[in-house]
Amino acid sequence: MKSVPVAELVSPDAEHLGLKVLFGENILDDKQITHFRIQKPGLALAGYCDHIHSGRVQILGNTEVSYLWTLEPELRRQSVAGICKKDVCCFIVTKDLKLPDEVTETVMAFSIPLFKTDRVSSETIIDLSVFLEDRLAPDTVCHGVFLDVFGIGTLITGRSGIGKSECAVELIKRGHRLVADDAVRVKRIQDYLEGSSSDMLRYHMEVRGLGIINIKDMFGVAAIRLRKKLELVIEFTDWNPNVSYDRLGLDNVYEEILRQKVPKIILPISAGRNMAVIVEIAARNHLLKIMGYNSAQEFSERLMNTISEGESQTIISDELEKRMGRRGVE
């Protein structure tokens, strides 16, 4: 199971969370967060701790702190100790609320990191969930070029040297945007995939014969974006005259990435084909499918209706000929 050290909550990337360490600065790397969902102890403070999870951040908001202040000192210790025995990863106190000394002492006794923030619980929970969801999302690295083409996150794959980067440069010249080149980091966030670039390769592309170029400096900030939802995979392959390629667009092919199926198109490369234009058309066509219009399916249905009507006309003509023949005999 993927996990994130509690220390990430006070890293430079998490400054927007506004957390300050009250206790446990030297043990932040020892505690691990394993789930992006946040918990508020609630009934656990009253003794029902069956659903407290060790890998989730525990929020002590106004309700929890107010309840603790109503208890006798010894009951406070017992109340918090019941949660601490579940080996929770950390506590966060919101709204700069003052904790009873017994609570702080109990948390310290169990060596559990304690944070505070001046933000309200609802805002803290939302921002923490988004931050941890990104950190804990399953991820993988795909070889290819990832672009935003007409708003469609398009991953171009294929063997090395087949022309992916050259096609990407042409697409960028046409106004489309680069997300990542060569090593595309793909994350599964809930029910969709999101692609981005590594920090080292961000904004850069390799073009054989030219070397490494910086797309941001060369084409401007409008030519790049940091991340994009992955919606379409286009695989470049060498043209093979012995292979039968899809000519109608009725074949549904998918690429499975992190257990998510992404629509895939296989495009054969041959001399004279403008691959940038074809990729644009593929993205436009995919956009139409998302909006509910499938041109290939519509053409197929029209063709079948025409054939059916033709067969019906043939049957009617045969019947008329038979009847006319009978009358002629009579």
Side-chain angles (χ1 to χ4, degrees):
M1 180 183 294
K2 194 172 181 180
S3 63
V4 171
V6 172
E8 289 282 324
L9 299 182
V10 287
S11 66
D13 292 338
E15 286 183 358
H16 63 286
L17 299 177
L19 300 181
K20 298 179 181 178
V21 182
L22 292 179
F23 168 74
E25 192 166 0
N26 59 332
I27 59 172
L28 296 182
D29 288 319
D30 299 333
K31 296 292 184 177
Q32 301 290 320
I33 304 171
T34 59
H35 204 285
F36 71 92
R37 294 190 183 278
I38 312 301
Q39 279 196 307
K40 295 192 71 178
L43 283 175
L45 293 173
Y48 185 71
C49 302
D50 291 2
H51 295 286
I52 293 295
H53 302 278
S54 61
R56 294 189 186 182
V57 175
Q58 305 295 319
I59 296 288
L60 298 177
N62 189 53
T63 302
E64 290 77 17
V65 174
S66 298
Y67 173 73
L68 287 170
W69 276 109
T70 66
L71 301 177
E72 295 296 324
E74 187 55 35
L75 288 178
R76 291 173 190 158
R77 296 181 189 275
Q78 294 177 10
S79 176
V80 177
I83 300 173
C84 293
K85 287 176 182 178
K86 293 290 186 176
D87 194 28
V88 295
C89 58
C90 67
F91 288 99
I92 297 177
V93 183
T94 60
K95 293 180 66 175
D96 263 340
L97 296 169
K98 179 176 173 54
L99 287 176
D101 292 339
E102 297 80 11
V103 174
T104 305
E105 292 168 1
T106 304
V107 171
M108 294 172 65
F110 280 89
S111 297
I112 297 174
L114 178 63
F115 301 89
K116 75 170 183 177
T117 178
D118 58 358
R119 307 177 72 195
V120 298
S121 297
S122 57
E123 292 179 358
T124 302
I125 290 172
I126 291 172
D127 289 346
L128 259 176
S129 298
V130 172
F131 176 78
L132 292 175
E133 186 177 23
D134 180 70
R135 285 290 196 276
L136 293 169
D139 61 348
T140 187
V141 175
C142 297
H143 175 67
V145 186
F146 189 38
L147 302 110
D148 178 349
V149 183
F150 295 126
I152 301 295
T154 306
L155 176 64
I156 302 175
T157 64
R159 65 169 177 80
S160 296
I162 200 169
K164 301 185 296 294
S165 296
E166 290 80 359
C167 176
V169 170
E170 179 62 28
L171 287 167
I172 293 168
K173 283 179 59 182
R174 290 171 171 267
H176 306 292
R177 305 167 74 183
L178 173 72
V179 182
D181 179 50
D182 192 38
V184 183
R185 186 185 180 196
V186 179
K187 289 183 178 180
R188 189 183 81 235
I189 300 178
Q190 295 186 14
D191 60 346
Y192 70 92
L193 300 175
E194 183 181 83
S196 61
S197 175
S198 64
D199 294 337
M200 181 66 69
L201 299 176
R202 186 167 296 144
Y203 313 139
H204 292 84
M205 284 186 64
E206 178 197 356
V207 180
R208 292 174 185 267
L210 293 179
I212 305 297
I213 60 174
N214 189 309
I215 298 300
K216 180 182 176 183
D217 293 343
M218 187 173 293
F219 295 95
V221 293
I224 55 96
R225 65 177 302 163
L226 298 180
R227 57 186 65 198
K228 184 74 176 75
K229 179 181 178 182
L230 175 55
E231 299 170 272
L232 180 65
V233 176
I234 297 179
E235 181 183 352
F236 286 0
T237 62
D238 295 300
W239 181 278
N240 186 342
N242 298 319
V243 174
S244 177
Y245 298 104
D246 183 17
R247 300 185 64 179
L248 295 178
L250 295 174
D251 295 342
N252 292 320
V253 181
Y254 296 93
E255 177 92 4
E256 185 168 322
I257 303 173
L258 295 173
R259 293 185 296 173
Q260 293 287 324
K261 289 185 176 180
V262 183
K264 179 179 180 179
I265 297 173
I266 299 175
L267 291 181
I269 302 292
S270 64
R273 299 195 86 189
N274 191 328
M275 300 309 296
V277 173
I278 296 175
V279 170
E280 283 186 331
I281 293 173
R284 286 179 182 270
N285 194 47
H286 185 73
L287 190 58
L288 283 172
K289 289 180 180 180
I290 293 175
M291 297 174 69
Y293 177 75
N294 189 323
S295 58
Q297 188 66 41
E298 189 263 350
F299 174 78
S300 177
E301 291 174 358
R302 285 177 55 194
L303 180 63
M304 295 304 296
N305 290 335
T306 301
I307 293 173
S308 298
E309 290 174 1
E311 290 177 349
S312 299
Q313 291 294 332
T314 301
I315 293 172
I316 293 172
S317 297
D318 291 344
E319 185 65 26
L320 286 173
E321 287 180 3
K322 289 180 182 178
R323 292 185 178 183
M324 292 297 293
R326 288 175 184 172
R327 288 180 181 178
V329 172
E330 292 174 356

